[in-house]
Amino acid sequence: MNRRKFLKNATLSTAGLAVGSTLVACTKNTKSENHKSVTKQVTSLPIVIATWNVPNATAEAYKILKKGGNAIDAVEAGCKIEEADVKNQSVGKGGLPDRDGNVTLDACIMDKNGNCGSVVHLQNITHAVSIARNVMENTPHVMLSGKGAEKYAYQLGYKKENLLTKASKKAWKKWKTTSKYKPIINIENHDTIGMLAIDKNGTISGACTTSGLAYKMAGRVGDSPIIGSGLFIDNEIGGCVATGLGEEVVKTVGSFLVVELMRQGKTPQEACEEAIKRIVDKPNSDFKNFQVGYIAVNKLGETGSYAIHQWFSMTKYQDGKNENIQSKFIIEA
Ligand code: GLY
């Protein structure tokens, strides 16, 4: 049965599709060996998941969802919490700078209608995710970069800020004594913050935000502002966000791959595992020396996460419970 027809039928069935926090039955379009549909329970809605241990961010998003707010508002608000947290040195204000000492941010956002917006190499503005949302909603474009993105932020009324905190400047100065470039596997158990939410109406949105690789070359752009790599949403199927070494995610168009694998019938967990396998199985892959992690959710609210290295985790807020779940992995720390 085609996906659109299936969803229509599921909605018209006696059980219907879940709204609010009710558990209901619906038919999942999973192709089993004999191509029969498998009956599955929709988990309770709303739900929000995020990369790493970010309970404050998921709590902010869940608060909006619980009040009946929509998924796009929730993911933006959740990401903003981490962008404003100067203790988080991989996102927003307080992020670690590039080799020249400049903090540059990448972010993107995608809604239930397949609209998206992103900012690339944004400086002097904390809330990159909000500028990305404005690009999506209020410009004819999908991506704005560098000075253009910054100028647009000022036009929106954002004020110029110094994003390089004392702590990040100190870390950068220390790094300069050797200037050795090596991807850090898990930056104090943080990296790109990616968030996916399903609101009470069952619609999915996602966002991600990062200061990118610490001490990157000036001008370097990772996966996070690239739709399909750092983030992808298909409201009929599910969503995925990535964290870790962006170059490897870009080379495999990771988030799009995960969503397409779910479309083919894989669970979010299976899809994340397959996408990581694609990276690891590449000829001469140096995967022992870098981290990549994915989290994903499907239309039924099932979630999954997987990473190359241990200590990647997912924060999940559902049914009033905000919990941090250690991800499965390939290599033990
Ligand atoms: N995943 C963040 C980056 O590579 O920039």
Side-chain angles (χ1 to χ4, degrees):
M1 188 187 296
N2 105 6
R3 181 74 180 155
R4 273 173 212 279
K5 265 198 199 143
F6 147 72
L7 283 171
K8 205 167 153 210
N9 289 351
T11 311
L12 293 175
S13 77
T14 45
L17 192 59
V19 288
S21 57
T22 327
L23 277 171
V24 294
C26 94
T27 312
K28 189 190 174 200
N29 191 23
T30 301
K31 280 185 186 160
S32 59
E33 262 167 28
N34 57 8
H35 294 266
K36 271 188 203 149
S37 292
V38 179
T39 302
K40 279 237 179 181
Q41 290 258 295
V42 175
T43 65
S44 74
L45 300 177
I47 176 173
V48 57
I49 57 172
T51 53
W52 305 103
N53 187 16
V54 288
N56 296 337
T58 47
E60 186 69 19
Y62 194 75
K63 198 166 76 188
I64 290 170
L65 295 169
K66 249 338 229 188
K67 278 193 219 146
N70 59 43
I72 195 82
D73 289 336
V75 294
E76 181 192 359
C79 286
K80 281 174 75 176
I81 294 290
E82 293 304 314
E83 287 177 337
D85 181 357
V86 291
K87 287 199 245 68
N88 183 341
Q89 289 186 299
S90 53
V91 175
K93 193 168 183 152
L96 291 169
D98 65 13
R99 290 173 189 199
D100 301 345
N102 295 312
V103 180
T104 71
L105 307 182
D106 295 334
C108 73
I109 194 159
M110 192 160 185
D111 75 8
K112 62 178 179 175
N113 297 320
N115 297 313
C116 47
S118 82
V119 288
V120 179
H121 203 267
L122 175 69
Q123 288 179 262
N124 303 314
I125 303 288
T126 299
H127 292 304
V129 72
S130 299
I131 314 304
R133 183 168 179 184
N134 271 285
V135 171
M136 173 174 80
E137 292 179 348
N138 299 315
T139 79
H141 307 305
V142 167
M143 302 176 92
L144 283 184
S145 70
K147 287 282 167 221
E150 190 178 341
K151 187 174 161 194
Y152 180 53
Y154 298 141
Q155 281 166 6
L156 292 168
Y158 288 83
K159 298 276 172 271
K160 185 170 182 164
E161 289 176 81
N162 175 20
L163 303 185
L164 187 65
T165 55
K166 266 190 191 161
S168 290
K169 194 171 181 176
K170 195 171 156 197
W172 168 62
K173 288 213 156 142
K174 187 167 171 222
W175 172 80
K176 282 218 302 179
T177 58
T178 58
S179 296
K180 256 202 195 135
Y181 172 71
K182 194 169 183 280
I184 303 168
I185 300 275
N186 298 313
I187 304 176
E188 292 167 3
N189 293 331
H190 269 297
D191 194 73
T192 307
I193 300 305
M195 190 173 272
L196 303 167
I198 311 184
D199 58 34
K200 74 176 171 88
N201 299 316
T203 57
I204 311 171
S205 296
C208 65
T209 183
T210 188
S211 50
L213 271 187
Y215 321 126
K216 60 197 173 187
M217 288 174 71
R220 180 263 185 191
V221 174
D223 59 313
S224 302
I226 301 176
I227 298 292
S229 291
L231 168 74
F232 196 71
I233 303 291
D234 181 327
N235 191 48
E236 291 196 1
I237 305 298
C240 174
V241 280
T243 186
L245 186 61
E247 280 75 0
E248 298 300 322
V249 178
V250 170
K251 285 179 206 167
T252 48
V253 200
S255 293
F256 182 72
L257 173 62
V258 169
V259 173
E260 288 307 299
L261 289 166
M262 292 194 289
R263 190 191 307 278
Q264 289 164 22
K266 290 206 186 301
T267 63
Q269 184 62 37
E270 288 165 349
C272 290
E273 290 183 17
E274 173 66 29
I276 290 291
K277 198 169 171 290
R278 294 274 175 102
I279 294 172
V280 166
D281 286 351
K282 281 170 72 179
N284 307 320
S285 176
D286 190 31
F287 66 93
K288 288 188 182 131
N289 293 314
F290 63 78
Q291 173 69 301
V292 173
Y294 292 110
I295 64 168
V297 67
N298 67 11
K299 191 71 177 168
L300 298 174
E302 295 173 320
T303 60
S305 70
Y306 200 63
I308 299 174
H309 292 269
Q310 192 175 13
W311 302 126
F312 172 52
S313 67
M314 168 173 79
T315 309
K316 179 170 173 174
Y317 209 143
Q318 187 178 29
D319 287 328
K321 211 164 73 184
N322 195 8
E323 51 180 347
N324 186 241
I325 302 161
Q326 285 300 316
S327 170
K328 289 187 181 162
F329 52 86
I330 297 175
I331 302 172
E332 202 168 326

